[in-house]
Amino acid sequence: MASLRQASPRLRKYFRENYIPQICEALLCGLLVTCPEDPLRYLEEMIIGIMENGLETLLWDMCIDPLMKPKIRRLTETYLEQLFGLDDQLVTPELMIKACTFYTGRLLKTHFYTWREIAIPTVNEDGLLAEKMEAAIVYDNFRLKKHVLHHWHSYVKNRKEKLRDALLQIQKMFHCYKMIMTLNKWRDRARYKFKKREDELMLKHELQLQKFSKLKFKTNSKEEHLFPEQFVSEGFLVGGILEFDISQLPKRAVLQIFSYLSLRDLVICGQVNRSWLLMTQMGSLWNGIDFSAVKNIITDKYIVSILQRWRLNVLHLNFRGCVFRSKTLRSVSLCKNLQELNVSDCPTLTDESMRYISESCPGVLYLNLSNTVITNRTMRLLPRYFCNLQNLSLAYCRKFTDKGLQYLNLGKGCHKLIYLDLSGCTQISVQGFRNIANSCSGIMHLTINDMPTLTDNCVKALVEKCHRISSVVFIGAPHISDSTFKALSTCDIRKIRFEGNKRITDACFKLIDKSYPNIRHIYMVDCKGITDGSLKSLSPLKQLTVLNLANCVRIGDMGLKQLLDGPASTKIRELNLSNCIHLGDASIAKLPERCYNLNYLNLRNCEHLTDQGVEFIANIFSLVSVDLSGTDISNEGLMTLSRHRKLKELSVSECDRITDFGIQVRLCFFVVAVKEVVTLVLCPDY
């Protein structure tokens, strides 16, 4: 076996890994140099020595006696690789021929250039030197001009900056002076109006007081011996002006008034007097406490005192974004009747705090834990203590795992859960959704936003046992496709919200027509795969009330016509087709005939919509809000809309053909004819 070039890779690998070429090299070198009398015994002794020292320290002259080792320098590493055929990169004859040819060519080229320089006479060096001098003079002149121009440019730039600064200073002084004059005039005018109003109020109060005095005098004419102070109480008349005491109102009215106040305002009102303090201490006012509105000014000590005082009345607590101590959050456990708890965005909330809360507040129905650092320990507490939980938000909680979702099935379980929010929980896998399906089969409203890891398999695993889902929101889930709609066909879907999905096509709308006959709300924004065929599939839906297909740029007049021809158009109250650039007047003509219940219409950036289409829109008498921004309407279109009696909000920003005249006509009509609050949105440059 002189060569292993044709051997199998396994055999060649075996030779390399066990250092067989190196062992043979050392033994052969020892035999050739030492020439022992008994070669077999010599080989046996050398092999035993190699085994004792190890293969890592093996050298080619290891088997040679130190006195007989050659003094010459070794030129090559080893020839055993070539002998056994283990060299993968040896120089072949072809490569040697190429190398020699290349070296000969380079040598020939070098000698040729040397001969040419000696044999060929040189050109006129004087002429060459003159050309170089001319080029040097031109370059020197150019550098000199550049240097001078740079100084001139810097000087001009500084002068311009100084002039600009001076102009800005003058403008600032002018505006300040103008503002001072305006404020002085406004102050004088306001003082005059205020004084005039006070005089009118005083006169009015005096007239009412005189009328009241005459009435009291007539009714009590038989009691002339009484003093005049007894006719009018001190609390009713102070300084000749009638006063009103809110404490005299019925308790129900007082509760209604104080319910609109925040926690801070409620505390301030309690410091007015004793009667106001009693009104602010009614238990119904403390059913819901919002600490998030005062999180920057309230202290932990005050929160604990409030919760301890009103622990039996508190039903709703909001700690959203509050950065309090863990001990403060544990005081929530004092509220035994708590039904709603919002601790979202609380960085100090821990599993230990949730343990105290869960053990003491078993009646919680709404729990918001979004964007907190809870782990599987908290997930284990939910089914054990919150058996009546209906709404749960775990959005952007990334510390729990699929095993934590499996805990939801422990104990009594969270089988009453109706609403679940898992937005941003990218750590959940298909197994995690399967655990949710096993634990919370009664889910009706599902929200999963900002989750790029959500796939069709995740939804399929969830729908296997959750057949009561009626509302799904998948915003920011780009990997959802038509297969998800097929999986949801077993549920009675009433509301769908998708946004920014390129994998959804017209096929999903065919499934909607067949599988979701009771759907009412469709929100498909920025779905590039939707065409006119989708609108044709939606036309048979009789319960559809809200349709939002904004930024679906492939929708045109044909699709909208097909939608309006079906029964779906009769109950639509809100229609959003903004940025559907292919829509025009042809399809808008059918809106007044079919959509007689339409309240909100958005046709922003529909560039082909003109004044003719606005005439059709004006005939939709149920309209309340219209957005025509970025369309091709003009003043005539505004005049047409001015005849509409119920329109309260109109947006016409970025409509270049609308002028001051059209706006004036529109505003005059609103003020004179309609006489109600109207919102008019104009372009920013108006």
Side-chain angles (χ1 to χ4, degrees):
M1 189 176 59
S3 177
L4 295 176
R5 294 184 184 278
Q6 306 300 326
S8 63
R10 178 173 170 273
L11 182 59
R12 296 165 67 114
K13 183 179 178 183
Y14 172 79
F15 268 63
R16 286 196 185 94
E17 290 180 350
N18 293 282
Y19 297 87
I20 292 177
Q22 288 81 356
I23 295 172
C24 294
E25 181 184 23
L27 294 176
L28 286 175
C29 291
L31 287 172
L32 293 174
V33 176
T34 307
C35 297
E37 294 180 359
D38 191 354
L40 296 178
R41 183 173 298 276
Y42 174 81
L43 291 175
E44 180 182 3
E45 292 175 356
M46 293 298 106
I47 291 173
I48 293 173
I50 292 172
M51 292 174 62
E52 291 176 353
N53 296 328
L55 296 176
E56 288 77 13
T57 60
L58 183 63
L59 297 175
W60 68 277
D61 58 348
M62 186 176 179
C63 298
I64 302 175
D65 187 80
L67 298 176
M68 301 178 68
K69 286 186 179 180
K71 306 296 182 179
I72 59 175
R73 180 172 172 264
R74 189 178 59 175
L75 296 178
T76 59
E77 183 69 21
T78 179
Y79 291 98
L80 268 299
E81 297 286 338
Q82 183 176 2
L83 181 62
F84 284 92
L86 297 177
D87 51 329
D88 296 328
Q89 298 181 352
L90 292 177
V91 179
T92 61
E94 292 81 5
L95 293 177
M96 182 61 70
I97 293 172
K98 288 184 179 180
C100 293
T101 305
F102 177 79
Y103 176 77
T104 306
R106 287 293 300 271
L107 190 62
L108 182 62
K109 187 176 181 182
T110 303
H111 289 293
F112 174 77
Y113 284 153
T114 306
W115 170 82
R116 188 180 62 177
E117 291 177 0
I118 297 173
I120 300 176
T122 59
V123 297
N124 189 5
E125 295 182 357
D126 296 335
L128 183 61
L129 183 61
E131 290 179 0
K132 291 183 178 180
M133 287 299 296
E134 290 179 1
I137 293 171
V138 172
Y139 178 74
D140 184 69
N141 293 335
F142 172 76
R143 289 197 60 186
L144 183 61
K145 291 178 182 179
K146 185 177 179 181
H147 180 71
V148 175
L149 182 63
H150 176 72
H151 283 285
W152 175 82
H153 177 71
S154 302
Y155 172 77
V156 173
K157 186 176 180 181
N158 293 334
R159 291 286 298 173
K160 285 185 177 180
E161 289 179 356
K162 291 181 179 179
L163 289 175
R164 184 168 62 254
D165 294 339
L167 182 60
L168 290 175
Q169 191 69 19
I170 294 172
Q171 289 180 351
K172 185 177 180 181
M173 294 173 62
F174 173 76
H175 288 308
C176 290
Y177 180 74
K178 186 177 180 181
M179 189 179 297
I180 290 173
M181 292 181 62
T182 305
L183 289 175
N184 288 334
K185 291 182 179 180
W186 172 81
R187 182 188 60 188
D188 297 337
R189 186 68 177 173
R191 287 178 177 176
Y192 172 76
K193 290 284 187 180
F194 181 77
K195 186 176 180 182
K196 184 178 179 181
R197 183 183 177 187
E198 280 190 342
D199 294 338
E200 291 176 355
L201 289 175
M202 291 295 295
L203 180 61
K204 183 178 179 181
H205 284 259
E206 288 177 1
L207 292 175
Q208 290 180 353
L209 182 61
Q210 291 177 4
K211 184 177 179 180
F212 178 79
S213 300
K214 290 179 180 179
L215 182 62
K216 293 289 289 184
F217 181 78
K218 290 180 181 180
T219 55
N220 298 325
S221 58
K222 296 182 181 180
E223 300 179 0
E224 296 179 356
H225 62 280
L226 296 177
F227 293 99
E229 289 78 6
Q230 293 180 347
F231 288 97
V232 182
S233 63
E234 293 180 358
F236 190 80
L237 179 63
V238 178
I241 301 177
L242 296 176
E243 286 191 353
F244 177 72
D245 189 3
I246 192 174
S247 62
Q248 302 300 323
L249 290 174
K251 183 178 179 181
R252 185 177 179 182
V254 173
L255 285 174
Q256 187 69 21
I257 293 172
F258 280 94
S259 63
Y260 292 102
L261 300 180
S262 64
L263 178 61
R264 183 172 181 268
D265 296 333
L266 200 63
V267 174
I268 293 174
C269 290
Q271 299 174 355
V272 175
N273 52 39
R274 183 173 180 80
S275 61
W276 280 58
L277 178 62
L278 294 175
M279 286 187 292
T280 58
Q281 290 182 351
M282 288 187 290
S284 301
L285 293 175
W286 299 92
N287 288 341
I289 304 177
D290 185 5
F291 290 109
S292 63
V294 292
K295 59 184 177 182
N296 296 325
I297 57 177
I298 197 169
T299 61
D300 295 52
K301 183 178 179 181
Y302 192 71
I303 292 176
V304 175
S305 63
I306 290 177
L307 295 179
Q308 189 170 5
R309 181 173 184 179
W310 303 104
R311 58 186 181 278
L312 298 179
N313 301 91
V314 174
L315 300 178
H316 312 280
L317 279 179
N318 187 1
F319 286 96
R320 180 180 179 85
C322 296
V323 185
F324 298 135
R325 295 181 301 175
S326 300
K327 185 177 180 180
T328 304
L329 295 175
R330 291 179 188 178
S331 60
V332 178
S333 60
L334 300 172
C335 307
K336 306 295 183 181
N337 299 322
L338 188 64
Q339 296 181 2
E340 179 179 344
L341 178 60
N342 187 349
V343 288
S344 59
D345 299 322
C346 291
T348 56
L349 181 70
T350 60
D351 295 329
E352 190 66 20
S353 303
M354 282 303 302
R355 185 178 67 82
Y356 280 94
I357 296 172
S358 59
E359 290 177 355
S360 304
C361 306
V364 173
L365 302 177
Y366 173 91
L367 182 59
N368 191 342
L369 300 173
S370 60
N371 201 15
T372 56
V373 293
I374 62 165
T375 63
N376 292 342
R377 292 180 58 191
T378 298
M379 302 297 290
R380 187 191 293 267
L381 297 172
L382 296 180
R384 184 180 301 176
Y385 299 103
F386 297 142
C387 54
N388 296 320
L389 191 63
Q390 296 181 2
N391 296 331
L392 176 61
S393 177
L394 298 173
Y396 305 101
C397 296
R398 297 187 172 93
K399 296 293 184 180
F400 69 89
T401 61
D402 294 340
K403 188 175 182 180
L405 296 174
Q406 189 177 4
Y407 291 152
L408 296 178
N409 202 23
L410 299 177
K412 297 181 180 179
C414 297
H415 301 296
K416 296 183 179 180
L417 197 64
I418 298 175
Y419 174 86
L420 180 61
D421 188 354
L422 297 174
S423 301
C425 298
T426 54
Q427 77 278 11
I428 302 178
S429 63
V430 177
Q431 183 59 39
F433 283 96
R434 191 171 289 111
N435 294 337
I436 295 174
N438 295 331
S439 308
C440 313
S441 58
I443 295 176
M444 299 179 64
H445 307 283
L446 182 64
T447 301
I448 307 178
N449 299 329
D450 298 331
M451 195 165 177
T453 57
L454 185 67
T455 61
D456 297 331
N457 293 330
C458 298
V459 180
K460 291 178 182 178
L462 185 64
V463 177
E464 287 179 358
K465 295 186 179 180
C466 297
H467 303 297
R468 299 178 58 188
I469 297 177
S470 62
S471 172
V472 291
V473 181
F474 295 148
I475 298 177
H479 298 294
I480 293 295
S481 65
D482 299 335
S483 301
T484 296
F485 288 87
K486 186 176 181 180
L488 290 171
S489 60
T490 58
C491 306
D492 187 14
I493 300 296
R494 304 293 181 90
K495 178 180 177 181
I496 292 178
R497 286 176 64 92
F498 281 82
E499 184 173 348
N501 194 304
K502 298 181 180 179
R503 301 184 64 187
I504 294 178
T505 62
D506 296 337
C508 74
F509 285 88
K510 294 180 181 179
L511 292 172
I512 291 176
D513 175 23
K514 298 177 182 178
S515 306
Y516 315 140
N518 298 321
I519 194 168
R520 298 179 179 178
H521 186 124
I522 297 178
Y523 181 96
M524 294 280 192
V525 175
D526 197 17
C527 296
K528 307 300 182 183
I530 297 177
T531 64
D532 292 337
S534 300
L535 293 180
K536 182 179 179 181
S537 302
L538 296 178
S539 59
L541 299 176
K542 298 181 180 180
Q543 305 296 330
L544 188 62
T545 57
V546 178
L547 179 61
N548 190 338
L549 298 177
N551 297 331
C552 297
V553 294
R554 299 176 65 183
I555 293 178
D557 289 331
M558 183 61 67
L560 185 56
K561 286 181 180 179
Q562 293 173 346
L563 174 67
L564 297 178
D565 288 338
S569 59
T570 57
K571 288 190 177 182
I572 288 183
R573 292 185 289 104
E574 181 177 345
L575 181 61
N576 189 342
L577 297 173
S578 60
N579 295 316
C580 296
I581 56 177
H582 298 296
L583 288 179
D585 300 334
S587 58
I588 304 299
K590 284 193 174 184
L591 283 177
E593 301 176 6
R594 304 292 300 173
C595 302
Y596 40 80
N597 291 319
L598 189 63
N599 299 134
Y600 302 93
L601 178 62
N602 190 338
L603 298 174
R604 176 183 287 267
N605 295 329
C606 295
E607 302 171 354
H608 301 292
L609 182 64
T610 63
D611 296 334
Q612 183 179 358
V614 174
E615 292 182 3
F616 299 120
I617 294 175
N619 294 327
I620 307 176
F621 302 111
S622 60
L623 271 182
V624 177
S625 174
V626 179
D627 189 350
L628 301 176
S629 304
T631 58
D632 197 32
I633 66 173
S634 62
N635 294 337
E636 296 180 3
L638 276 183
M639 295 177 66
T640 303
L641 286 175
S642 64
R643 298 194 298 267
H644 203 287
R645 297 290 179 178
K646 292 185 178 181
L647 195 61
K648 295 184 179 181
E649 183 176 354
L650 174 64
S651 177
V652 289
S653 62
E654 301 179 9
C655 294
D656 300 332
R657 297 180 61 190
I658 295 178
T659 63
D660 296 344
F661 177 74
I663 299 297
Q664 290 173 358
V665 171
R666 179 66 178 161
L667 290 177
C668 290
F669 178 81
F670 276 146
V671 174
V672 177
V674 182
K675 295 182 180 179
E676 54 180 283
V677 178
V678 179
T679 303
L680 181 63
V681 181
L682 304 175
C683 58
D685 299 333
Y686 178 76

